[in-house]
């Protein structure tokens, strides 16, 4: 498993971060998902082979749950 870190932009509140984190935890190919509203960071773990698929699923969920939120790799 590799660790990946992303900067989250346009996340409005801590409750939004918690709800989004809960939705992302349902993705079966990633583990140890955490979103910090204070630092505006998204962290997760997955295998190198699953990274692109994981990012696609993460972006899809973010777009559905929080349309204004974007992520970029740190």
């Amino acid at each position: 498993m590799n660790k990946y870190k992303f900067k989250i932009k346009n996340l409005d509140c801590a409750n939004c971060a918690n709800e989004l984190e809960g939705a992302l935890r349902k993705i079966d190919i990633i583990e140890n998902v955490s979103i910090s509203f204070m630092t505006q960071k998204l962290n997760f773990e997955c295998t190198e082979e699953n990274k692109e698929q994981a990012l696609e699923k993460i972006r899809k969920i973010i777009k559905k749950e929080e349309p204004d939120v974007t992520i970029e790799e740190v």
Side-chain angles (χ1 to χ4, degrees), residues 14-72:
N15 188 50
C16 296
N18 287 336
E19 288 181 14
L20 191 55
E21 182 179 304
L24 295 179
R25 286 185 184 273
K26 295 176 183 175
I27 300 173
D28 58 352
I29 58 173
I30 63 174
E31 296 181 9
N32 300 319
V33 178
S34 67
I35 295 177
S36 171
F37 174 71
M38 295 297 290
T39 61
Q40 300 286 292
K41 298 273 195 251
L42 160 66
N43 298 308
F44 68 91
E45 294 180 18
C46 73
T47 62
E48 184 68 35
E49 305 86 56
N50 288 335
K51 181 183 177 189
E52 290 307 314
Q53 183 182 6
L55 285 174
E56 184 178 317
K57 290 182 177 195
I58 288 168
R59 287 189 171 104
K60 184 176 181 181
I61 289 172
I62 289 173
K63 186 174 184 179
K64 179 182 176 196
E65 301 286 327
E66 294 289 333
D68 295 333
V69 171
T70 59
I71 63 171
E72 56 186 52

